[in-house]
Amino acid sequence: MTPDRVPPGPRSKIPGGILFTLQRDRLAFVRRLASYGDIAYFTLGSERIYFLSRPEWIADVLVTHSRKFRKGPGLEVTKHLLGEGLLASEGDFHLRQRRLVQPAFHRQRIAAYASTMSCYARRLSDRWKDRERRDIHEDMMRLTLAIVGKTLFDADVESDAAKIGEALTVAIKMFDRLVIPYAKLLTYIPGSGMGAFRRAKERLDAIIYRMIAEHRQGPDRGDLLSMLLLARDTEEGAVEFGDSMSDVQVRNETMTILLAGHETVANALTWTWYLLSSHPEIEARLHQEVDTQLAGRLPGESDWPNLRYTYAVLAESMRLYPPAWATGRRSLESIDIGGYIIPPEAVVIMSQYTMHRDARYFPDPERFDPSRWLQPSELPKFAYFPFGGGPHLCIGEGFAWMEGVLALATLAQRWKLRMDPKHKVGFEPKITLRPKHGMPMTLERRTA
């Protein structure tokens, strides 16, 4: 075993050939990587990239040896918008910020958010009209944005939904460009999109700083933003012991949670409606459960344990179309994985999209089958990991599950959604897995 021994993987004799293949169809590319075995290797420019497809090795990177890695290129570029928020920060600073934010996501807090989640979903349901054609992805983005804004920041951001959506789309496109080799050169090239990105960031900053100013002028509202403004770290090793967060720090955490928190759940719900529309037998079973368990009333926190099939539908949707479809880390030192020495500064990629479709763990992996999740699971820990894992496990995982299940149940009480047969569904795997051309669907009101 020597440091220069590398795993099998795609090679190209044409300069830039791998990058072209990757950019043309990323999902196909990662599935090709998985076909090489549990570990594959390729290069992009000067980047040495290792692709892992074994759960225990993914656990090594994300959990067991997490201190030997830092965030990968995909998350590094999010700092252009999110700063040192939870998604992008590292080390002791990340742990400090996570400790300050964590109380807003304690189980009792999340339970208290349940009624707001259901009420906002019912408001959307009330606005829908029978036989109306709508972009469901846009509706889910607005819904989850409104829920996160109200529950965590006691703010009505629905009026800002269009601005936030447009700015976030610009930002995601820019992130996509910045992650490729030599992308820093884009900052110096006119027409590269950096100007549009800066303007988008300014629009988002204006909304966030307005929320911060409103909170600073009033009493403690008991929400996450109030907690951030009042927080004092109680352990040595903070940036300045005993200091509260600056407005910039509060802005970074607020921006991270507001944007990342609504984007992922919106995508999960969008793909769920898409799958239900083509699986009427599963849709019928979902409707039977919400009718039996809820009898027409809004679901609350106490209904969560009884909506088992609704949960299974969402879990299976995130298996096939995980909102976070891949995650990466950069090695800080040499480490042996699978008999290969991964050198310092190499990139390690782990893909939820490919792991969730691995036939070793999910028989008939392309089939949409929520019943997979109705029996006790014997899956290895990282065969299914839609929310990541280890010290950087998504802090809002419990919030997202509650929101997704309650929103799905509330809307399914009254509605069926049908795909436009002329619409070609496409995939846009950038930071998250979005539908490429939206998700136009026709609403059908359910009859008693």
Side-chain angles (χ1 to χ4, degrees):
M1 182 172 17
T2 59
D4 59 350
R5 176 173 172 263
V6 297
R11 307 287 187 268
S12 176
K13 296 180 180 180
I14 304 172
I18 296 289
L19 179 60
F20 174 77
T21 302
L22 173 63
Q23 294 290 76
R24 183 177 56 188
D25 191 336
R26 294 181 181 184
L27 298 180
F29 185 75
V30 294
R31 297 194 74 172
R32 178 185 171 194
L33 289 173
S35 72
Y36 284 97
D38 288 337
I39 184 168
Y41 173 83
F42 65 103
T43 59
L44 281 181
S46 61
E47 293 279 26
R48 296 163 294 179
I49 303 174
Y50 295 77
F51 186 85
L52 304 184
S53 298
R54 181 179 288 189
E56 54 265 43
W57 295 348
I58 295 173
D60 284 341
V61 174
L62 297 182
V63 182
T64 311
H65 301 294
S66 62
R67 289 187 173 274
K68 295 182 179 180
F69 296 88
R70 58 185 171 90
K71 298 288 181 65
L75 290 177
E76 286 174 355
V77 301
T78 66
K79 290 185 180 183
H80 290 274
L81 177 64
L82 305 179
E84 293 292 337
L86 278 177
L87 191 64
S89 59
E90 302 274 8
D92 291 339
F93 182 78
H94 171 84
L95 294 176
R96 171 186 184 257
Q97 294 300 99
R98 191 178 181 98
R99 190 165 58 241
L100 295 175
V101 172
Q102 187 67 60
F105 294 98
H106 284 166
R107 191 168 186 173
Q108 289 182 330
R109 285 268 188 170
I110 293 173
Y113 303 146
S115 61
T116 301
M117 294 170 175
S118 296
C119 285
Y120 273 65
R122 177 56 60 86
R123 281 170 47 177
L124 174 61
S125 177
D126 289 342
R127 290 196 296 265
W128 281 355
K129 295 178 174 60
D130 193 27
R131 304 296 172 181
E132 182 180 17
R133 188 174 183 269
R134 299 185 67 94
D135 184 342
I136 294 303
H137 183 239
E138 183 177 315
D139 275 355
M140 294 303 102
M141 292 285 278
R142 286 176 174 268
L143 171 61
T144 58
L145 178 64
I147 289 172
V148 171
K150 184 61 179 176
T151 55
L152 299 181
F153 305 109
D154 191 26
D156 181 3
V157 293
E158 282 191 279
S159 60
D160 296 312
K163 293 179 184 177
I164 292 173
E166 291 169 6
L168 183 56
T169 296
V170 170
I172 287 175
K173 287 181 178 179
M174 199 65 228
F175 294 160
D176 196 52
R177 296 174 187 173
L178 290 173
V179 78
I180 65 175
Y182 315 116
K184 291 182 180 179
L185 296 174
L186 290 175
T187 59
Y188 305 104
I189 300 175
S192 64
M194 283 301 296
F197 171 78
R198 293 188 187 99
R199 292 189 292 273
K201 181 174 178 289
E202 289 170 1
R203 292 196 295 272
L204 291 171
D205 278 344
I207 294 168
I208 299 297
Y209 281 120
R210 184 192 71 208
M211 291 164 53
I212 293 173
E214 290 172 353
H215 274 62
R216 283 207 185 278
Q217 292 168 6
D220 178 8
R221 304 185 190 186
D223 62 334
L224 173 60
L225 185 47
S226 295
M227 291 167 58
L228 293 177
L229 291 169
L230 294 170
R232 295 291 189 279
D233 198 15
T234 58
E235 296 187 16
E236 296 286 354
V239 178
E240 287 188 34
F241 178 69
D243 274 8
S244 60
M245 291 190 206
S246 67
D247 275 5
V248 172
Q249 287 173 302
V250 174
R251 173 261 180 217
N252 291 343
E253 300 303 347
T254 302
M255 184 81 79
T256 298
I257 292 168
L258 184 68
L259 298 186
H262 92 276
E263 166 85 13
T264 51
V265 181
N267 287 335
L269 286 169
T270 299
W271 292 118
T272 301
W273 293 120
Y274 163 68
L275 289 164
L276 286 170
S277 73
S278 57
H279 295 82
E281 71 289 351
I282 293 173
E283 180 189 59
R285 186 172 174 183
L286 171 69
H287 288 153
Q288 181 182 30
E289 177 176 87
V290 298
D291 293 346
T292 302
Q293 296 296 333
L294 303 178
R297 61 178 172 79
L298 279 178
E301 187 273 336
S302 62
D303 296 300
W304 162 259
N306 300 320
L307 294 169
R308 295 183 64 240
Y309 194 72
T310 310
Y311 164 85
V313 167
L314 186 64
E316 180 70 348
S317 171
M318 286 198 289
R319 183 186 70 82
L320 287 170
Y321 302 116
W325 63 280
T327 188
R329 294 291 186 267
R330 190 180 292 278
S331 56
L332 298 173
E333 57 186 83
S334 295
I335 183 170
D336 182 347
I337 294 183
Y340 295 96
I341 299 298
I342 295 180
E345 292 301 313
V347 174
V348 177
I349 295 177
M350 301 143 286
S351 172
Q352 290 93 331
Y353 184 82
T354 57
M355 284 306 310
H356 293 185
R357 292 167 182 263
D358 192 320
R360 292 175 295 182
Y361 313 110
F362 301 100
D364 195 4
E366 299 297 327
R367 182 163 59 96
F368 179 51
D369 182 12
S371 64
R372 299 177 198 272
W373 306 99
L374 298 179
Q375 303 299 324
S377 174
E378 297 181 358
L379 285 174
K381 174 70 174 174
F382 285 94
Y384 181 77
F385 59 117
F387 295 95
H392 295 281
L393 174 72
C394 174
I395 197 170
E397 178 179 2
F399 182 102
W401 279 115
M402 178 77 77
E403 180 186 12
V405 168
L406 296 184
L408 181 59
T410 301
L411 294 169
Q413 284 179 304
R414 294 181 178 177
W415 299 100
K416 298 179 181 180
L417 279 63
R418 293 291 175 261
M419 282 298 303
D420 180 346
K422 297 180 181 178
H423 179 74
K424 183 178 180 181
V425 175
F427 302 95
E428 193 170 38
K430 297 187 184 297
I431 298 294
T432 59
L433 184 59
R434 284 183 165 192
K436 190 171 186 179
H437 308 293
M439 193 66 71
M441 304 184 82
T442 299
L443 307 176
E444 290 186 6
R445 184 179 295 276
R446 292 184 59 208
T447 55

